[in-house]
Amino acid sequence: MNVNSPVHEVPFVGLTMVKRLKKLGIDSVLDLIYYFPFRHDDYSLTSPISQIQPGEIATIKGQIISIENVYTRSGKKIQKAVVSDGEDKLFVTWFNQPFLVKSLPQGTFVSISGKVEKFGLKKAITSPKYEKQNSAMELTQTGVHTGRLVPVYPETDGVSSKWIRSRVVKVLPKTIDQIEEFLPEEIKKENGLTGLQEAIKQMHFPENQEKLNKARERLGFDEFFEIQINTLSRKKEWKEKKLAHAISVDRDKVISLIKSLPFTLTDAQRRVLSEILQDLGKDKAMNRLLEGDVGSGKTVVAAIACYVAFLNKFQSALMSPTQILAQQHYKTLTNILAPLGVNVALVTSDQKTAKDLSSFDLIVGTHALIQKDIRFENLALVIVDEQHRFGVQQRALLSQKAKEKTPHILTMTATPIPRTVALTVYGDLDLSVIDEMPIGRQNVKTWVVPSNKRQAAYGWISQRVKDTDEQAFIVCPLIEESSFETMKSVKAASVEFERLSNKVFPNLRLGLLHGRMKPKEKEEQMQKMKEGLIDILVATPVVEVGIDIPTATIMMIETSERFGLAQLHQLRGRVGRGNKQSYCLLFSESHNSIYRLKHLENNYSGATLAELDLKLRGPGDLFGKAQHGYPQLKVGSYSDLELIKKARSAAEKLLPEIEKFPSIKKLLDKKGEIVPN
Ligand code: ADP
Ligand code: MG
């Protein structure tokens, strides 16, 4: 059998199975080998029946001495068997598997794993894992499904963990020799890594916990190594090949612009600004990520960069993910820059200031900017706001609008990025972080509201909104896991809006905002909110990022347990923009999540919360998993800083001599750019 063969060449894999396996991403034998268990059940304690203790999880081996179907009063079938190992007896019960009577008839040698219970003097196991053995001889060996650390795989309809196990155990010995070790001996030694073949074997069928840990370490290392050798190679290529216009900085003019602002820049803003301006001065294109919590003041930094480009007679473009944001930026940037002679244009799908952009210095817009008929004169700086909302392609298309040279690229995000992720996924970007809020900003007071306090919380909001000229946002339940709005979530929002308007806040003025509304309608709602004509704006979870309404002081979030901590932190950043005390109410019906959510009550650093997200979220957290937006790892974990650092330094070491390692070179570009979402 060849490791690259299609999976249907594996015995007992027919057409139906091929289709099911495809759902799990398994097309080839190699895919099957790289389909790793997400945990192992420890059935390695094998014991004579006489010595097992109630409560223990153990494997016993023996012979079936009786087995029968028993009918319960409700008509269900129970299978009752007695197993003997010659010395003692074990009573076994299964449910609804009547075929067992035929497949494990009296006399069969079996191995049984599960949790031991005691009924009177009888020892029993209910619903155990079982494995047929062909003879008494085999009973002395380690099993596949019992008697060991048993791999448990992610399943799908019609593909059970047991089935996968039974295929892998057959395929591995025939193909493992074909798996090529790609790490040089030296790197393995330095990092104490197991060989690849050994790691794969132990990952599926570990001899013991220690070997399993070593296997995980090696395979996790490989995952990070692959991501990092790719990001580092892209970074190197970018640094060497992408020529840009060097944009020189007129210090006096920049200083006088900064002085004219109605506020003083924070130290963090000054620091990132100087990092950016240094990059702009080079004739190699900048590729920098500017990270800062909502409200930390990224826009003004971007504005200054655009001004510097303008002084050098170059055009800049700023792309925003939504129309509302584009309009907001257009206004802000016009305010700051128009008095200095910068000609600002707005380009959205239904509003084009002008087709011919040659007379404009700064063009703000949505993805409409990348349309074919949009041409720039001499674009030298591209700024992308909320980068995770755009694909690589969209970003690339905008950059290609520049003529001769690559434009300098600044991507901005309010998504807190844990250090480990910055080192891997964003390894090709230079990072600037605004880690400080403008002075005078107060933290948004945050409370987790369990279901029994819901009514009281509604009452509090109602009172507060009535008594003051403050306003509230209510974020609707997160229905589906998607970074874009679906029809379903729009519907849910409309229903929630009706309920709140009629039943909860009948005396207040409510508005609704969701992504399927026409841009005009959205703009109207925002305008009404700004003018104080709406008390409470009900919005879908994908609420327009960055909306700026200083009079809004209350943010109430439904089903908050479905969000990551960092995401909730971003959402609450929509309030507290003015200088009034603001509040965030996290509604949750899930008792189990309250402990996790409570972190928001006393933690106000996006970065710290992002780190916590990584630590607190188990693999079973469906909503949480895809939400943090990083590429999925099979074995490794983004919280494993040590391993990530090791893989990073190995990648740094090997990249310069990659030509010597063809099997590592093969890892390059295999996946193209890894983009979150
Ligand atoms: P974000 O980083 O979320 O894009 P913005 O750039 O929209 O934040 O800034 C949020 C608000 O803070 C804006 O109204 C802006 O004018 C104001 N702002 C920016 N920098 C400062 C500062 N250093 N001091 C006070 N206010 C500031
Ligand atoms: Mg912003």
Side-chain angles (χ1 to χ4, degrees), residues 469-490:
D469 54 359
E470 296 174 21
Q471 294 156 292
F473 289 111
I474 292 186
V475 174
C476 292
L478 181 62
I479 307 284
E480 278 165 296
E481 182 184 11
S482 160
S483 51
F484 294 96
E485 232 163 48
T486 60
M487 217 40 230
K488 232 179 169 173
S489 48
V490 168

PDB file of all heavy atoms in Angstrom, residues 469-490:
ATOM      1  N   ASP A 469     -29.811  61.440  29.537  1.00  0.00           N
ATOM      2  CA  ASP A 469     -29.863  61.448  28.075  1.00  0.00           C
ATOM      3  C   ASP A 469     -28.936  60.373  27.506  1.00  0.00           C
ATOM      4  O   ASP A 469     -28.487  60.448  26.386  1.00  0.00           O
ATOM      5  CB  ASP A 469     -29.505  62.836  27.542  1.00  0.00           C
ATOM      6  CG  ASP A 469     -28.173  63.310  28.091  1.00  0.00           C
ATOM      7  OD1 ASP A 469     -27.558  62.556  28.893  1.00  0.00           O
ATOM      8  OD2 ASP A 469     -27.746  64.417  27.732  1.00  0.00           O
ATOM      9  N   GLU A 470     -28.674  59.355  28.340  1.00  0.00           N
ATOM     10  CA  GLU A 470     -27.793  58.290  27.875  1.00  0.00           C
ATOM     11  C   GLU A 470     -28.565  57.267  27.051  1.00  0.00           C
ATOM     12  O   GLU A 470     -29.786  57.209  27.109  1.00  0.00           O
ATOM     13  CB  GLU A 470     -27.117  57.624  29.087  1.00  0.00           C
ATOM     14  CG  GLU A 470     -26.229  58.623  29.816  1.00  0.00           C
ATOM     15  CD  GLU A 470     -25.652  58.067  31.100  1.00  0.00           C
ATOM     16  OE1 GLU A 470     -25.600  56.836  31.236  1.00  0.00           O
ATOM     17  OE2 GLU A 470     -25.264  58.869  31.955  1.00  0.00           O
ATOM     18  N   GLN A 471     -27.812  56.478  26.288  1.00  0.00           N
ATOM     19  CA  GLN A 471     -28.446  55.500  25.410  1.00  0.00           C
ATOM     20  C   GLN A 471     -27.807  54.134  25.578  1.00  0.00           C
ATOM     21  O   GLN A 471     -26.714  54.013  26.115  1.00  0.00           O
ATOM     22  CB  GLN A 471     -28.284  55.949  23.952  1.00  0.00           C
ATOM     23  CG  GLN A 471     -29.036  57.223  23.627  1.00  0.00           C
ATOM     24  CD  GLN A 471     -28.410  57.916  22.439  1.00  0.00           C
ATOM     25  OE1 GLN A 471     -27.292  58.422  22.529  1.00  0.00           O
ATOM     26  NE2 GLN A 471     -29.110  57.921  21.324  1.00  0.00           N
ATOM     27  N   ALA A 472     -28.508  53.135  25.071  1.00  0.00           N
ATOM     28  CA  ALA A 472     -28.009  51.766  25.236  1.00  0.00           C
ATOM     29  C   ALA A 472     -27.957  51.011  23.913  1.00  0.00           C
ATOM     30  O   ALA A 472     -28.721  51.298  22.986  1.00  0.00           O
ATOM     31  CB  ALA A 472     -28.894  51.014  26.219  1.00  0.00           C
ATOM     32  N   PHE A 473     -27.038  50.075  23.844  1.00  0.00           N
ATOM     33  CA  PHE A 473     -27.036  49.080  22.766  1.00  0.00           C
ATOM     34  C   PHE A 473     -27.484  47.756  23.366  1.00  0.00           C
ATOM     35  O   PHE A 473     -27.088  47.418  24.487  1.00  0.00           O
ATOM     36  CB  PHE A 473     -25.622  48.838  22.235  1.00  0.00           C
ATOM     37  CG  PHE A 473     -25.057  49.971  21.446  1.00  0.00           C
ATOM     38  CD1 PHE A 473     -24.003  50.728  21.947  1.00  0.00           C
ATOM     39  CD2 PHE A 473     -25.542  50.262  20.176  1.00  0.00           C
ATOM     40  CE1 PHE A 473     -23.453  51.765  21.215  1.00  0.00           C
ATOM     41  CE2 PHE A 473     -24.993  51.306  19.433  1.00  0.00           C
ATOM     42  CZ  PHE A 473     -23.950  52.052  19.959  1.00  0.00           C
ATOM     43  N   ILE A 474     -28.290  47.022  22.621  1.00  0.00           N
ATOM     44  CA  ILE A 474     -28.577  45.646  23.032  1.00  0.00           C
ATOM     45  C   ILE A 474     -28.135  44.728  21.904  1.00  0.00           C
ATOM     46  O   ILE A 474     -28.597  44.851  20.769  1.00  0.00           O
ATOM     47  CB  ILE A 474     -30.070  45.444  23.350  1.00  0.00           C
ATOM     48  CG1 ILE A 474     -30.426  46.233  24.618  1.00  0.00           C
ATOM     49  CG2 ILE A 474     -30.382  43.952  23.519  1.00  0.00           C
ATOM     50  CD1 ILE A 474     -31.835  46.010  25.126  1.00  0.00           C
ATOM     51  N   VAL A 475     -27.190  43.854  22.214  1.00  0.00           N
ATOM     52  CA  VAL A 475     -26.705  42.926  21.201  1.00  0.00           C
ATOM     53  C   VAL A 475     -27.486  41.621  21.305  1.00  0.00           C
ATOM     54  O   VAL A 475     -27.556  40.998  22.360  1.00  0.00           O
ATOM     55  CB  VAL A 475     -25.196  42.669  21.362  1.00  0.00           C
ATOM     56  CG1 VAL A 475     -24.723  41.603  20.398  1.00  0.00           C
ATOM     57  CG2 VAL A 475     -24.425  43.963  21.144  1.00  0.00           C
ATOM     58  N   CYS A 476     -28.107  41.241  20.196  1.00  0.00           N
ATOM     59  CA  CYS A 476     -28.986  40.075  20.151  1.00  0.00           C
ATOM     60  C   CYS A 476     -28.229  38.764  20.326  1.00  0.00           C
ATOM     61  O   CYS A 476     -27.028  38.711  20.143  1.00  0.00           O
ATOM     62  CB  CYS A 476     -29.695  40.038  18.810  1.00  0.00           C
ATOM     63  SG  CYS A 476     -30.838  41.373  18.666  1.00  0.00           S
ATOM     64  N   PRO A 477     -28.981  37.706  20.635  1.00  0.00           N
ATOM     65  CA  PRO A 477     -28.326  36.407  20.808  1.00  0.00           C
ATOM     66  C   PRO A 477     -27.543  35.987  19.571  1.00  0.00           C
ATOM     67  O   PRO A 477     -27.972  36.222  18.446  1.00  0.00           O
ATOM     68  CB  PRO A 477     -29.501  35.450  21.025  1.00  0.00           C
ATOM     69  CG  PRO A 477     -30.617  36.295  21.478  1.00  0.00           C
ATOM     70  CD  PRO A 477     -30.416  37.644  20.880  1.00  0.00           C
ATOM     71  N   LEU A 478     -26.418  35.394  19.818  1.00  0.00           N
ATOM     72  CA  LEU A 478     -25.620  34.850  18.731  1.00  0.00           C
ATOM     73  C   LEU A 478     -26.213  33.496  18.353  1.00  0.00           C
ATOM     74  O   LEU A 478     -26.209  32.561  19.141  1.00  0.00           O
ATOM     75  CB  LEU A 478     -24.169  34.687  19.186  1.00  0.00           C
ATOM     76  CG  LEU A 478     -23.175  34.144  18.173  1.00  0.00           C
ATOM     77  CD1 LEU A 478     -23.058  35.059  16.980  1.00  0.00           C
ATOM     78  CD2 LEU A 478     -21.806  33.971  18.808  1.00  0.00           C
ATOM     79  N   ILE A 479     -26.738  33.427  17.158  1.00  0.00           N
ATOM     80  CA  ILE A 479     -27.446  32.218  16.738  1.00  0.00           C
ATOM     81  C   ILE A 479     -26.494  31.273  16.029  1.00  0.00           C
ATOM     82  O   ILE A 479     -26.438  30.083  16.282  1.00  0.00           O
ATOM     83  CB  ILE A 479     -28.578  32.561  15.742  1.00  0.00           C
ATOM     84  CG1 ILE A 479     -29.472  33.632  16.319  1.00  0.00           C
ATOM     85  CG2 ILE A 479     -29.350  31.301  15.373  1.00  0.00           C
ATOM     86  CD1 ILE A 479     -30.422  33.185  17.364  1.00  0.00           C
ATOM     87  N   GLU A 480     -25.780  31.827  15.089  1.00  0.00           N
ATOM     88  CA  GLU A 480     -24.898  30.980  14.312  1.00  0.00           C
ATOM     89  C   GLU A 480     -23.479  31.479  14.408  1.00  0.00           C
ATOM     90  O   GLU A 480     -23.235  32.662  14.578  1.00  0.00           O
ATOM     91  CB  GLU A 480     -25.325  30.988  12.846  1.00  0.00           C
ATOM     92  CG  GLU A 480     -26.456  30.051  12.583  1.00  0.00           C
ATOM     93  CD  GLU A 480     -27.069  30.343  11.246  1.00  0.00           C
ATOM     94  OE1 GLU A 480     -27.623  31.434  11.079  1.00  0.00           O
ATOM     95  OE2 GLU A 480     -26.973  29.487  10.369  1.00  0.00           O
ATOM     96  N   GLU A 481     -22.593  30.561  14.239  1.00  0.00           N
ATOM     97  CA  GLU A 481     -21.195  30.897  14.341  1.00  0.00           C
ATOM     98  C   GLU A 481     -20.728  31.364  12.975  1.00  0.00           C
ATOM     99  O   GLU A 481     -20.537  30.584  12.068  1.00  0.00           O
ATOM    100  CB  GLU A 481     -20.429  29.655  14.747  1.00  0.00           C
ATOM    101  CG  GLU A 481     -18.986  29.887  14.925  1.00  0.00           C
ATOM    102  CD  GLU A 481     -18.327  28.570  15.232  1.00  0.00           C
ATOM    103  OE1 GLU A 481     -18.975  27.539  15.085  1.00  0.00           O
ATOM    104  OE2 GLU A 481     -17.171  28.596  15.607  1.00  0.00           O
ATOM    105  N   SER A 482     -20.626  32.651  12.825  1.00  0.00           N
ATOM    106  CA  SER A 482     -20.238  33.164  11.525  1.00  0.00           C
ATOM    107  C   SER A 482     -19.777  34.587  11.737  1.00  0.00           C
ATOM    108  O   SER A 482     -20.337  35.312  12.547  1.00  0.00           O
ATOM    109  CB  SER A 482     -21.436  33.144  10.589  1.00  0.00           C
ATOM    110  OG  SER A 482     -21.229  34.024   9.517  1.00  0.00           O
ATOM    111  N   SER A 483     -18.751  34.974  11.008  1.00  0.00           N
ATOM    112  CA  SER A 483     -18.295  36.339  11.215  1.00  0.00           C
ATOM    113  C   SER A 483     -19.122  37.287  10.359  1.00  0.00           C
ATOM    114  O   SER A 483     -19.022  38.487  10.451  1.00  0.00           O
ATOM    115  CB  SER A 483     -16.814  36.467  10.901  1.00  0.00           C
ATOM    116  OG  SER A 483     -16.556  35.932   9.639  1.00  0.00           O
ATOM    117  N   PHE A 484     -19.946  36.717   9.498  1.00  0.00           N
ATOM    118  CA  PHE A 484     -20.832  37.555   8.715  1.00  0.00           C
ATOM    119  C   PHE A 484     -22.265  37.244   9.095  1.00  0.00           C
ATOM    120  O   PHE A 484     -22.561  36.213   9.666  1.00  0.00           O
ATOM    121  CB  PHE A 484     -20.595  37.339   7.227  1.00  0.00           C
ATOM    122  CG  PHE A 484     -19.246  37.796   6.816  1.00  0.00           C
ATOM    123  CD1 PHE A 484     -18.198  36.900   6.732  1.00  0.00           C
ATOM    124  CD2 PHE A 484     -18.996  39.130   6.576  1.00  0.00           C
ATOM    125  CE1 PHE A 484     -16.927  37.322   6.387  1.00  0.00           C
ATOM    126  CE2 PHE A 484     -17.730  39.566   6.240  1.00  0.00           C
ATOM    127  CZ  PHE A 484     -16.695  38.661   6.144  1.00  0.00           C
ATOM    128  N   GLU A 485     -23.146  38.145   8.756  1.00  0.00           N
ATOM    129  CA  GLU A 485     -24.503  37.966   9.187  1.00  0.00           C
ATOM    130  C   GLU A 485     -25.240  36.981   8.306  1.00  0.00           C
ATOM    131  O   GLU A 485     -25.135  37.018   7.094  1.00  0.00           O
ATOM    132  CB  GLU A 485     -25.210  39.308   9.154  1.00  0.00           C
ATOM    133  CG  GLU A 485     -25.869  39.600  10.444  1.00  0.00           C
ATOM    134  CD  GLU A 485     -26.185  41.061  10.544  1.00  0.00           C
ATOM    135  OE1 GLU A 485     -26.738  41.602   9.591  1.00  0.00           O
ATOM    136  OE2 GLU A 485     -25.842  41.641  11.558  1.00  0.00           O
ATOM    137  N   THR A 486     -26.012  36.119   8.911  1.00  0.00           N
ATOM    138  CA  THR A 486     -26.813  35.186   8.140  1.00  0.00           C
ATOM    139  C   THR A 486     -28.267  35.618   8.242  1.00  0.00           C
ATOM    140  O   THR A 486     -28.629  36.411   9.108  1.00  0.00           O
ATOM    141  CB  THR A 486     -26.688  33.770   8.711  1.00  0.00           C
ATOM    142  OG1 THR A 486     -27.138  33.808  10.057  1.00  0.00           O
ATOM    143  CG2 THR A 486     -25.248  33.295   8.672  1.00  0.00           C
ATOM    144  N   MET A 487     -29.079  35.081   7.349  1.00  0.00           N
ATOM    145  CA  MET A 487     -30.507  35.390   7.354  1.00  0.00           C
ATOM    146  C   MET A 487     -31.104  35.052   8.725  1.00  0.00           C
ATOM    147  O   MET A 487     -31.922  35.776   9.259  1.00  0.00           O
ATOM    148  CB  MET A 487     -31.169  34.535   6.266  1.00  0.00           C
ATOM    149  CG  MET A 487     -32.284  35.236   5.514  1.00  0.00           C
ATOM    150  SD  MET A 487     -31.903  36.954   5.157  1.00  0.00           S
ATOM    151  CE  MET A 487     -33.396  37.707   5.755  1.00  0.00           C
ATOM    152  N   LYS A 488     -30.656  33.920   9.248  1.00  0.00           N
ATOM    153  CA  LYS A 488     -31.189  33.441  10.525  1.00  0.00           C
ATOM    154  C   LYS A 488     -30.962  34.446  11.648  1.00  0.00           C
ATOM    155  O   LYS A 488     -31.861  34.720  12.438  1.00  0.00           O
ATOM    156  CB  LYS A 488     -30.484  32.137  10.885  1.00  0.00           C
ATOM    157  CG  LYS A 488     -31.401  30.994  11.208  1.00  0.00           C
ATOM    158  CD  LYS A 488     -30.520  29.809  11.510  1.00  0.00           C
ATOM    159  CE  LYS A 488     -31.248  28.649  12.105  1.00  0.00           C
ATOM    160  NZ  LYS A 488     -30.336  27.484  12.213  1.00  0.00           N
ATOM    161  N   SER A 489     -29.753  34.991  11.715  1.00  0.00           N
ATOM    162  CA  SER A 489     -29.478  35.903  12.819  1.00  0.00           C
ATOM    163  C   SER A 489     -30.208  37.228  12.620  1.00  0.00           C
ATOM    164  O   SER A 489     -30.573  37.894  13.582  1.00  0.00           O
ATOM    165  CB  SER A 489     -27.978  36.103  13.013  1.00  0.00           C
ATOM    166  OG  SER A 489     -27.328  36.366  11.820  1.00  0.00           O
ATOM    167  N   VAL A 490     -30.436  37.591  11.360  1.00  0.00           N
ATOM    168  CA  VAL A 490     -31.190  38.813  11.091  1.00  0.00           C
ATOM    169  C   VAL A 490     -32.625  38.648  11.571  1.00  0.00           C
ATOM    170  O   VAL A 490     -33.199  39.515  12.228  1.00  0.00           O
ATOM    171  CB  VAL A 490     -31.167  39.148   9.584  1.00  0.00           C
ATOM    172  CG1 VAL A 490     -32.185  40.229   9.255  1.00  0.00           C
ATOM    173  CG2 VAL A 490     -29.776  39.585   9.163  1.00  0.00           C
TER     174      VAL A 490
END
